[in-house]
Amino acid sequence: MSEDDPSDLASSSNFVTSSQVQYGKERIERLLKTEKEKYVVIKNETVRDGTNCWKVFGFPAMKTESDGPLTKIEGFASCRKCFNTYAYTPKTGNTRINGHKCVQDLKNSTNVTKSSSNTAQRSIAQYATPKSIKLCENEAKTIKDLTAKWLCHDIRPFSISEDRGLRELIQQCILLGSRHGNIDVNDVLRGAHVNSIHIKSLADNYRSKMKEQLKEPYENNCITISPDMWSDKHRKVFYLGAVATYVDTDHQHHAVDLFCRPYLESDKTADNILIEAAKENLITENKQPPSATTTASSSSNNRYSYDLDSSSDSEWSDDDDKLTLDQYISSSNARNVQKDKDVSKVLYEDVPYLAKQALNTITTCKKLVKYVKINGLNKDIQEAGGVCLQQSTVVRWLSLIQLLESILKSYKQTRKILLGRKQHLFNVDTKNVRDLARLLRPFKRVIKLIQMGNEPSLYMVLICVLKLRKILASFNNLLEYINEEQENEKIRKRENDERELAVSDEEAVDNFESEDMKFFRRRLYQLLNSMFILDIRHYAATLLNPRFKQLRKCSKGERLNCHKFIREEMAIIIENGKKEDEEAQQSSNNLKRKKMKRFGREFENDASSSEEEDKANKSDNESFDKIPQPDELDVYLKLTVDSDILPENPLKFWHENCATFPVLSKVARKIHSIPATTAAVERTFSAAGLVVTERRCNVNPSQADNILLIRSVEMMNSRTLEK
């Protein structure tokens, strides 16, 4: 909804025309909050000081120039605290203004102050917040009875009584009752139809505010749009969803759902999805934000369609562990693998027998967890001292690691329960499970690091790739990493004073690598080098984190290319700043009044010409070999900062040092707005699956979009308050 859209003006009494510009109360509230340098609330000079409402309220006004006079916006009165705006003229009176919360709070605080020395009993209406009391036993039992009847009658989950939103709603109702007395519940809570209409209205209001918030990051290329597709299981409707990740002027990182709407096009390729996302007027074809993605394809019938021919594993010498992928392919004993072949594929028939057994172990583990879930045995396992077995899903690779680790921690208890109940017993090779979990543990750490949604994550991609390459290069490196992680886990548990659950006797690390695990480790190392391509922005994001600015373990060429890229970005920002200054200067010169030229003006001193003459004189005496002055990047690279005192979030560093690095901090703001993964939009689809369920399959797709938008904005606001 645009600013001039009349839909945000409730009635003719809610908008006026001031200086050929239409103002509505909602627009004035938004301008007072977002453009504080231009729009302010001025005091009402026509009333006496004793009037309570005008101690809080005033008139909205606009600055025509930076140092110019204030122009009052006629027909409105605004609160100086919360900027709530009401239609007001001297004829309408102060009734609505006196009912405003900020005015009531001022009156209540004044009444409390005046009656502090009075021994008379004060009424509860004099307090902004009622005194906290404890319910008697009968009253508490009545509430519990009503809650239990509600949960059972409407088949609601027990945890709904702990919902934060429900508790805030009830608390607000209690507060209203304390102020106004006995209130009919029908005057407080509305029906389903009214709530549905209000959700649409609230979502439209949020969209209008969101466009204002995204305008500045979009103009400065500090926003990334991540689109993706999703289909609900019930109505089989295809949805196009998009999440905006951006960094504001205070270097705060935000992620908000833009939309999740039906996608009716038959072409569902990535290019067409970007075109459809551009139609939302949130991104344009020439400003599509960069993204770093990895794609994976799956095959059916449990068949792994790899193309790399693998003969006996003995042909791979220990020295090959130290080779890069290109060196390995070009080596004489590379098993005749040609460069034109896809190294990401190998035929299932060529997989070693022991490796096939390990794959069968994974299948058995999945069947075991599914059996436990269906028969409801997880509770018995937990009561026996184990942990809940976690199921694996094809869309979440991290869940496979969690499945294997949960079986390791609870295998004894699970086996005992199955034997005691004479139920089906699964023959799980615990050694294979332990070895697979050990091999996948580095990926578990990496996935958690790069899937952060509330903080910048792109800088971790390069670090994680280099770390995985080092770990997978040899078995000794893998053992070293596992031992390091176990020590860190013990330290964390000791610091948090928690009961130790991990690293039992059964999970002790073997100092031996079986042939099947060697095959998987080497395959992972190959795939890591062949399938993942690092972009220059990965390097730039890492360099713009002061912890990793030296780009250690990177080649000199990679560092120089990264420096070149950042300097190019700095040059673009400087050039754009010059254009803006020239436009502002030109508009300012046009507004200046022409002055009468004095006689002999051309002979007077001129500051600009004298500076040019000084430079010319200096250039005559200076050598042609000039030493280039260090720029912001050079100063940043030479900056010495203790890594232990640096914040985990690199944006905090740039916010604190934006005055020292005015241009480089803008580059950091731009680069760190790019997420490492599309996990944010996947979380949106997870929430959409809770909105469109089997019991709510008739939810209108546009209403589902409204629900997801409101949810996302509220979550973003709560995270901002926590910060």
Side-chain angles (χ1 to χ4, degrees):
M1 183 173 62
S2 63
E3 291 182 354
D4 295 333
D5 191 341
S7 61
D8 69 340
L9 309 177
S11 63
S12 59
S13 63
N14 286 339
F15 73 91
V16 295
T17 302
S18 178
S19 301
Q20 305 301 323
V21 179
Q22 277 193 343
Y23 288 99
K25 64 183 188 66
E26 293 183 358
R27 185 183 177 193
I28 292 175
E29 292 176 5
R30 186 164 63 250
L31 293 173
L32 289 172
K33 293 178 181 178
T34 59
E35 300 185 19
K36 297 182 180 180
E37 296 180 355
K38 188 175 180 181
Y39 292 89
V40 295
V41 180
I42 60 176
K43 186 177 180 181
N44 186 356
E45 302 290 350
T46 63
V47 297
R48 64 182 189 274
D49 295 336
T51 307
N52 279 327
C53 65
W54 294 108
K55 292 181 179 179
V56 179
F57 272 77
F59 298 123
M62 179 184 67
K63 295 181 181 179
T64 55
E65 297 180 4
S66 58
D67 298 330
L70 294 172
T71 302
K72 176 182 174 183
I73 302 176
E74 300 291 345
F76 296 97
S78 301
C79 177
R80 287 197 289 266
K81 293 183 178 180
C82 63
F83 301 117
N84 275 14
T85 301
Y86 296 92
Y88 173 80
T89 62
K91 296 181 180 180
T92 58
N94 303 341
T95 304
R96 295 185 64 192
I97 297 177
N98 283 325
H100 184 62
K101 181 180 181 298
C102 296
V103 178
Q104 293 295 323
D105 291 345
L106 178 63
K107 289 181 178 179
N108 293 333
S109 62
T110 304
N111 292 336
V112 171
T113 304
K114 290 181 179 179
S115 59
S116 59
S117 59
N118 193 351
T119 57
Q121 185 177 3
R122 292 170 288 180
S123 63
I124 196 170
Q126 293 175 336
Y127 295 90
T129 303
K131 182 180 178 181
S132 178
I133 61 174
K134 189 175 182 179
L135 297 178
C136 65
E137 185 176 350
N138 290 335
E139 292 172 333
K141 184 178 182 301
T142 302
I143 297 298
K144 288 189 288 186
D145 290 344
L146 291 173
T147 304
K149 292 176 183 178
W150 166 50
L151 297 175
C152 297
H153 181 272
D154 294 339
I155 316 178
R156 303 297 181 190
F158 294 165
S159 60
I160 196 174
S161 60
E162 301 175 358
D163 183 75
R164 180 180 60 85
L166 177 64
R167 289 177 175 262
E168 289 180 355
L169 175 63
I170 295 176
Q171 187 63 54
Q172 185 63 28
C173 293
I174 294 173
L175 184 60
L176 292 175
S178 67
R179 288 179 178 176
H180 305 290
N182 191 13
I183 303 176
D184 187 358
V185 66
N186 296 317
D187 293 335
V188 179
L189 300 180
R190 300 295 189 263
H193 181 66
V194 176
N195 288 332
S196 177
I197 295 176
H198 190 68
I199 284 176
K200 182 180 183 303
S201 175
L202 184 60
D204 290 339
N205 187 25
Y206 278 1
R207 288 189 183 96
S208 178
K209 294 179 179 178
M210 188 187 303
K211 286 187 177 181
E212 292 288 341
Q213 294 176 357
L214 298 182
K215 183 179 179 181
E216 191 277 335
Y218 176 75
E219 291 176 348
N220 291 278
N221 294 321
C222 297
I223 183 172
T224 302
I225 311 296
S226 303
D228 206 346
M229 293 291 300
W230 173 73
S231 173
D232 70 89
K233 297 186 297 185
H234 308 287
R235 299 179 64 181
K236 306 301 180 183
V237 177
F238 284 96
Y239 290 83
L240 172 63
V243 173
T245 306
Y246 67 97
V247 178
D248 61 20
T249 54
D250 293 329
H251 290 83
Q252 294 291 327
H253 187 275
H254 304 282
V256 62
D257 298 346
L258 292 181
F259 54 83
C260 185
R261 298 174 186 172
Y263 182 82
L264 305 178
E265 300 292 333
S266 58
D267 184 3
K268 296 178 175 60
T269 59
D271 294 337
N272 202 38
I273 289 174
L274 286 175
I275 294 173
E276 291 299 318
K279 292 179 181 179
E280 298 293 334
N281 295 325
L282 293 168
I283 58 176
T284 59
E285 187 174 356
N286 63 338
K287 275 195 175 182
Q288 290 178 1
S291 60
T293 59
T294 56
T295 58
S297 59
S298 59
S299 57
S300 57
N301 300 326
N302 293 327
R303 185 175 180 84
Y304 292 80
S305 56
Y306 301 108
D307 270 350
L308 178 60
D309 296 329
S310 61
S311 55
S312 68
D313 196 58
S314 59
E315 295 182 13
W316 197 326
S317 64
D318 292 337
D319 293 336
D320 290 334
D321 284 342
K322 302 177 183 179
L323 297 177
T324 64
L325 183 66
D326 293 334
Q327 291 171 335
Y328 169 72
I329 293 177
S330 59
S331 62
S332 58
N333 60 345
R335 284 171 276 178
N336 299 322
V337 179
Q338 302 298 327
K339 287 186 178 181
D340 57 347
K341 285 193 175 183
D342 186 359
V343 297
S344 65
K345 296 180 181 180
V346 63
L347 295 177
Y348 182 73
E349 289 80 2
D350 296 327
V351 175
Y353 173 77
L354 292 177
K356 292 180 181 178
Q357 293 297 108
L359 296 176
N360 293 334
T361 300
I362 295 177
T363 304
T364 304
C365 290
K366 291 181 178 180
K367 291 180 179 179
L368 171 61
V369 176
K370 186 176 181 181
Y371 184 85
V372 169
K373 288 267 188 181
I374 293 175
N375 291 274
L377 302 180
N378 259 327
K379 186 175 181 181
D380 297 335
I381 293 173
Q382 289 177 295
E383 291 176 352
V387 299
C388 178
L389 299 189
Q390 301 185 31
Q391 203 162 7
S392 174
T393 59
V394 293
V395 296
R396 294 183 60 204
W397 194 66
L398 181 61
S399 62
L400 175 61
I401 309 172
Q402 295 171 337
L403 176 144
L404 297 174
E405 291 182 342
S406 65
I407 289 179
L408 279 179
K409 295 176 182 178
S410 304
Y411 185 69
K412 277 187 176 181
Q413 294 83 356
T414 304
R415 182 180 177 85
K416 183 178 180 181
I417 290 172
L418 293 178
L419 287 173
R421 299 193 177 193
K422 297 182 180 180
Q423 295 183 359
H424 180 69
L425 188 64
F426 294 84
N427 295 322
V428 177
D429 189 340
T430 55
K431 183 182 182 303
N432 276 340
V433 175
R434 189 181 303 111
D435 291 342
L436 286 168
R438 177 178 61 188
L439 180 62
L440 297 178
R441 189 170 293 180
F443 291 91
K444 176 182 178 181
R445 178 74 181 278
V446 165
I447 292 172
K448 287 184 176 181
L449 286 174
I450 66 174
Q451 286 187 350
M452 293 184 296
N454 304 327
E455 292 184 2
S457 55
L458 189 67
Y459 70 91
M460 285 305 305
V461 174
L462 175 62
I463 303 300
C464 291
V465 169
L466 295 179
K467 186 71 173 178
L468 286 175
R469 286 176 180 172
K470 178 183 177 182
I471 293 172
L472 298 175
S474 68
F475 180 64
N476 290 334
N477 290 349
L478 177 62
L479 284 182
E480 182 181 352
Y481 170 79
I482 296 299
N483 293 330
E484 179 182 330
E485 282 295 302
Q486 289 180 349
E487 289 298 324
N488 292 337
E489 191 173 359
K490 289 179 180 180
I491 294 173
R492 285 194 297 267
K493 290 178 180 298
R494 188 161 54 247
E495 290 177 351
N496 299 330
D497 194 23
E498 295 178 352
R499 181 169 59 96
E500 292 194 10
L501 289 176
V503 194
S504 61
D505 293 338
E506 287 192 357
E507 296 180 49
V509 177
D510 295 331
N511 294 325
F512 171 75
E513 183 179 29
S514 59
E515 292 298 319
D516 51 344
M517 292 303 116
K518 182 181 293 186
F519 169 81
F520 286 125
R521 177 178 59 79
R522 289 171 171 172
R523 287 293 302 137
L524 287 172
Y525 183 76
Q526 284 183 320
L527 295 176
L528 184 66
N529 285 278
S530 63
M531 297 182 66
F532 199 95
I533 301 175
L534 290 170
D535 187 85
I536 188 63
R537 284 158 290 195
H538 291 126
Y539 292 89
T542 306
L543 184 142
L544 292 174
N545 185 329
R547 289 177 179 268
F548 311 109
K549 63 181 181 178
Q550 295 180 358
L551 293 181
R552 296 180 61 190
K553 308 301 181 183
C554 294
S555 66
K556 182 178 180 181
E558 290 171 331
R559 287 194 291 268
L560 292 177
N561 287 334
C562 182
H563 296 170
K564 179 182 177 182
F565 171 77
I566 292 178
R567 286 192 169 93
E568 290 174 353
E569 294 293 320
M570 292 171 62
I572 293 173
I573 292 175
I574 294 173
E575 184 65 25
N576 292 337
K578 288 181 179 179
K579 290 181 180 179
E580 293 177 359
D581 292 340
E582 290 175 359
E583 292 175 358
Q585 183 67 25
Q586 184 177 359
S587 61
S588 176
N589 292 336
N590 293 335
L591 294 175
K592 289 181 179 180
R593 296 179 180 179
K594 292 185 177 180
K595 297 182 179 180
M596 183 178 62
K597 293 184 178 180
R598 295 188 298 272
F599 179 78
R601 176 70 179 84
E602 63 271 22
F603 301 103
E604 294 180 4
N605 296 329
D606 185 40
S608 60
S609 62
S610 62
E611 290 178 359
E612 292 176 358
E613 291 174 0
D614 293 341
K615 291 181 180 178
N617 293 332
K618 289 182 179 179
S619 62
D620 293 338
N621 299 325
E622 288 178 352
S623 172
F624 290 101
D625 298 330
K626 294 182 179 180
I627 301 175
Q629 295 295 324
D631 58 6
E632 290 185 19
L633 180 59
D634 294 324
V635 176
Y636 167 70
L637 294 175
K638 293 179 181 179
L639 184 66
T640 303
V641 183
D642 187 1
S643 297
D644 294 334
I645 63 174
L646 286 172
E648 292 290 338
N649 187 346
L651 289 174
K652 293 182 179 179
F653 170 85
W654 292 110
H655 178 64
E656 295 171 356
N657 295 273
C658 60
T660 308
F661 307 103
V663 179
L664 196 57
S665 62
K666 294 180 180 179
V667 178
R669 182 185 166 205
K670 177 180 178 180
I671 295 296
H672 287 307
S673 67
I674 306 174
T677 66
T678 58
V681 69
E682 296 296 341
R683 295 187 184 103
T684 300
F685 294 151
S686 298
L690 300 176
V691 174
V692 184
T693 63
E694 185 177 2
R695 295 182 63 181
R696 301 180 65 186
C697 59
N698 290 327
V699 174
N700 192 297
S702 62
Q703 192 70 306
D705 180 29
N706 295 331
I707 293 171
L708 293 172
L709 174 69
I710 295 173
R711 172 183 177 272
S712 176
V713 174
E714 288 299 316
M715 291 180 63
M716 184 180 68
N717 292 339
S718 63
R719 288 194 296 264
T720 303
L721 291 176
E722 290 176 358
K723 291 180 181 179

